[in-house]
Each structure stands twice: as structure tokens, then as C-alpha cells.
Amino acid sequence: MNLMIASDYDDMSLKAANLILAQVTMKPDSVLGLATGSTPIGTYQQLIERFHAGDVDFSRVRTVNLDEYRGLTREDPQSYYYFMQEHLFSHINIAPDASFIPDGMNDDVQAVCDAYEETIRGLGGVDLQLLGLGNNGHIGFNEPGEVFEKETHCVDLAQSTIEANARFFASVDDVPTQAYTMGIQTIMNAKKILVIVNGAGKAEILKKAFYGPVTPEVPASILQMHPDVTVIADETACGGLL
Ligand code: GLP
């Protein structure tokens, strides 16, 4: 694991965007695995700025997102489909049919999961997967549990995740209780992984995930087994390590 320490959120975002730009520059038809949450917003902002500066061309890039809430329409401002349009896709020259996210409105769980795995396989796999880190160590929506779930699946969100994500909704009761998420194996199959972490609130889980035992109780800990992981964390998140 390669740990890059950033001075603050903006520096973390800049460093992450630089690595994504390097990936797209080296391989213009890269398959990028993308994440939602508040952590990557600054990274996406940097990508937009660099696109407008003429530093990068996304026209051949394909993307797959980690996860989507179950039961939210694409038009719902809280859906991850909407999030990606708002924070990245509508601002860059990515082809409209080149971005994929699980279909949160399809109730046929098996069909959604099989189709998503097939989509990722059909693209030739993920070249670079961007990840945030949940407060409880989740990646995508792979919640702590007894086993590592392998492929895309429907998950019951942990109460702590529902509470953490309530800040984006009118009330905690509006937060969906289920989501579709890439599995741990799906994520581990990515050729490269880039994890971004910021803030004192993530210090303890960052230490557990990357310096503690590998256990499904801390889903991100599996990343210790991946051959090409870069973690970019700001100084406050690194508080427990230094
Ligand atoms: C969300 C997402 C994750 C994200 C995590 C952290 O629930 N499903 O992909 O990494 O929680 O979110 P944040 O970046 O807002 O701390």
C-alpha cells in the first residue's frame, strides 16, 4: 500500500485528481470506477477544472459506479445517478452512454446484480477504482459482517450508515434502507485502487482498515491484500498513524 499524506482536503482532492488524470492520459479509454459521498466531491471539482483547462479528454473514458440506493429514481436528487450527473458527468465530455450504475428502481435483485457484473466484465474490468471510506469501514456499501460478499449484491444498510447519510436527506426516515453495491471481489478485481480519506472523524477507521487485521468486520481491510492500492489521506485523518 502506498500512503500519500495530504495537507488538507483540497490537497487530497488535487493529488487524487492528478492520479486519475495520469490514468486517463496513459489510457484514454480507461474504465474508471467511481464513488459518491462527500469525500470525492473536491476530486471531481478538480477533474472538471482540469477538463476546462484543456488538460484532459474524457471522450473515450467509461465509468462504473460502486453503488446505488434501492428505490430512488434517477431524477431523485439523493440518488447516486443524480449525484454523478451533478458533480461530474454534466460538466465534462464523457459520452452519455459510457457511464454505468446499478438500476435502483429494478426490484429484480438477481437481475440487477447479474447485469451489473456482466456490464463490468463487458467493459474489460476496472482500470482504476476510486473509493471513499465509510465511518464503519465500509467500501461502496459493503457493510461490516461475518463474510466478505463477493459480487454485486443488495445490502441492508447498517443503522450507522443510515444515520451518517441522513445529512443528505430531509430526515433519517427518508434514507433508503437498502442499496445495490459492487461486492468486495468486484472491487478487488480492479487493476488499481485509489482510496481517499479526510478528517479527524476517519482517523480511527483509517488506522483499523490499513494497519489492523484483515476482517469482514472492517470491509476496507481487505484492501491490504490488493497489489496496487494508493491511499491519499489528509493530515487529520492520519492523526492515529503519525
Ligand atoms: C457512502 C458511500 C460510500 C462512501 C462512504 C463515505 O455511504 N456508499 O461509497 O465512500 O459512504 O462517505 P463520505 O465520503 O461522505 O464520508
Side-chain angles (χ1 to χ4, degrees):
M1 187 252 294
N2 174 26
L3 174 66
M4 292 170 72
I5 300 176
S7 52
D8 55 19
Y9 179 80
D10 289 345
D11 188 37
M12 175 200 77
S13 303
L14 183 65
K15 286 178 161 59
N18 281 342
L19 293 187
I20 296 170
L21 291 174
Q23 172 67 40
V24 174
T25 303
M26 295 299 282
K27 188 179 178 204
D29 63 346
S30 286
V31 177
L32 301 179
L34 298 179
T36 52
S38 43
T39 313
I41 290 175
T43 303
Y44 296 152
Q45 196 56 47
Q46 285 290 335
L47 292 180
I48 293 166
E49 284 175 25
R50 300 289 286 275
F51 168 69
H52 287 308
D55 294 342
V56 60
D57 173 18
F58 291 100
S59 63
R60 293 172 62 200
V61 165
R62 285 83 44 81
T63 69
V64 285
N65 258 80
L66 282 167
D67 46 16
E68 178 59 284
Y69 286 116
R70 189 171 177 205
L72 298 190
T73 64
R74 290 178 156 196
E75 294 73 34
D76 190 313
Q78 306 308 335
S79 74
Y80 286 165
Y81 178 91
Y82 191 101
F83 175 103
M84 290 308 302
Q85 298 299 325
E86 188 188 9
H87 290 289
L88 183 62
F89 297 152
S90 66
H91 306 283
I92 61 174
N93 68 334
I94 192 155
D97 57 354
S99 295
F100 301 90
I101 192 159
D103 180 0
M105 289 305 286
N106 186 342
D107 264 344
D108 187 339
V109 172
Q110 202 53 50
V112 175
C113 298
D114 291 348
Y116 207 57
E117 287 293 323
E118 188 48 44
T119 296
I120 297 169
R121 268 194 298 275
L123 292 169
V126 174
D127 291 301
L128 175 65
Q129 177 66 57
L130 178 65
L131 293 176
L133 180 63
N135 293 322
N136 62 2
H138 75 218
I139 46 177
F141 268 134
N142 289 277
E143 298 284 29
E146 288 172 8
V147 293
F148 291 112
E149 295 278 351
K150 284 187 186 168
E151 299 200 317
T152 301
H153 58 286
C154 182
V155 65
D156 292 327
L157 299 178
Q159 189 55 33
S160 63
T161 298
I162 292 173
E163 283 161 18
N165 288 1
R167 67 190 194 277
F168 300 112
F169 292 80
S171 85
V172 70
D173 297 330
D174 294 323
V175 185
T177 56
Q178 290 188 313
Y180 291 111
T181 181
M182 281 186 195
I184 290 293
Q185 190 175 46
T186 325
I187 294 170
M188 290 292 280
N189 282 345
K191 295 178 187 84
K192 292 181 191 164
I193 294 183
L194 172 56
V195 191
I196 48 177
V197 191
N198 76 288
K202 297 276 175 76
E204 198 182 326
I205 195 64
L206 176 67
K207 189 175 178 185
K208 268 192 189 167
F210 292 98
Y211 298 90
V214 175
T215 164
E217 288 299 327
V218 183
S221 65
I222 193 75
L223 299 172
Q224 295 179 41
M225 313 295 284
H226 192 283
D228 192 344
V229 175
T230 299
V231 179
I232 306 178
D234 74 353
E235 279 172 12
T236 49
C238 289
L241 312 176
L242 304 173

